[in-house]
Amino acid sequence: MLRRASPTRRCQAQSAFVLAFTDPDVAQDDIDLAEQLLTGLDLRATALTVKIAALVRDAGTDRGVPGRADVLRAEIRASGLLAPEAMLELAVVFHHTVVNHANAATATIARLHRLTSSGNYAYYADIAHRMASTENDIPSAARWIDDEATVHHCWRSLTTTRRSRLHRR
C-alpha cells in the first residue's frame, strides 16, 4: 500500500533540495533528516527529491555526479514521474555550470527543454538558462515576479557563488 507524503516529509525534502544549492554544508543535516523521515515508507517523488538534493550538494566537488545522475535518471524514468526528472536535469546543469563544462550544460538544458515542452515545470528550463548564462530561444510559459536582470542575477549567483567557494578551499 502506498502512503502519501505528509506535508512535513515533503517540506523536509524540498528544504534539503533548496539548501543543497545555497548552503551545501548545512544541506547534509536536512538530507539526513529527510532520509530518516522516509525510512520504511514508499514515497517515490519525495525520496527522489532527497537523492537529487544530494547531487546538488555535491555539484562541483564530486566528479561522479554525472554517473550518479545517470543511475538516478534511470530510476526516475522507471517511476514515470516528470517533476523529479526535471529537477534532476536542473541539478545536472548546475553541476556542469559550476565546473565550467558549457557543452555538457547546453546538452542537459536541451534535454530539460524536451522534458518541459508541455509547459509543465517550464521554469526549470528558465532557471537552467540563467544558471548557465545562456540564451533561451524557446518561449517560456513561466512568468517571473521580478524583472529579467534580477531573476538572471539571482539564479546565476548560485553557480558563481559555488564556483568561488570551491576555489577558496
Side-chain angles (χ1 to χ4, degrees):
M1 176 177 177
L2 293 177
R3 293 200 306 181
R4 293 188 56 179
S6 73
T8 301
R9 289 179 178 93
R10 282 193 307 262
C11 289
Q12 187 59 47
Q14 291 296 325
S15 173
F17 182 66
V18 170
L19 273 175
F21 281 107
T22 58
D23 195 345
D25 294 331
V26 174
Q28 185 58 52
D29 290 340
D30 274 44
I31 291 169
D32 290 343
L33 179 56
E35 288 172 341
Q36 181 182 6
L37 290 170
L38 291 170
T39 300
L41 300 176
D42 188 2
L43 304 170
R44 285 184 189 100
T46 305
L48 291 167
T49 299
V50 174
K51 290 178 180 180
I52 296 165
L55 279 182
V56 173
R57 176 202 59 213
D58 297 341
T61 63
D62 179 357
R63 292 176 190 239
V65 166
R68 290 169 50 202
D70 287 341
V71 171
L72 192 50
R73 191 176 291 113
E75 183 180 344
I76 291 168
R77 286 186 179 153
S79 76
L81 299 170
L82 175 60
E85 193 168 4
M87 289 173 76
L88 173 64
E89 299 308 337
L90 180 63
V92 173
V93 169
F94 181 63
H95 171 74
H96 289 314
T97 303
V98 169
V99 297
N100 209 21
H101 291 157
N103 290 339
T106 300
T108 306
I109 291 170
R111 195 166 42 246
L112 188 52
H113 273 292
R114 285 191 298 277
L115 282 171
T116 61
S117 63
S118 69
N120 293 328
Y121 308 105
Y123 53 92
Y124 283 132
D126 287 359
I127 292 168
H129 277 287
R130 287 173 173 97
M131 283 181 174
S133 208
T134 59
E135 291 295 319
N136 184 0
D137 298 331
I138 300 171
S140 173
R143 298 293 171 251
W144 299 94
I145 295 171
D146 292 317
D147 63 272
E148 173 61 30
T150 302
V151 172
H152 180 87
H153 175 75
C154 172
W155 294 111
R156 180 65 181 161
S157 68
L158 290 175
T159 57
T160 57
T161 299
R162 177 71 63 96
R163 196 178 287 154
S164 296
R165 190 170 177 263
L166 294 174
H167 291 299
R168 285 187 297 229
R169 287 185 175 183

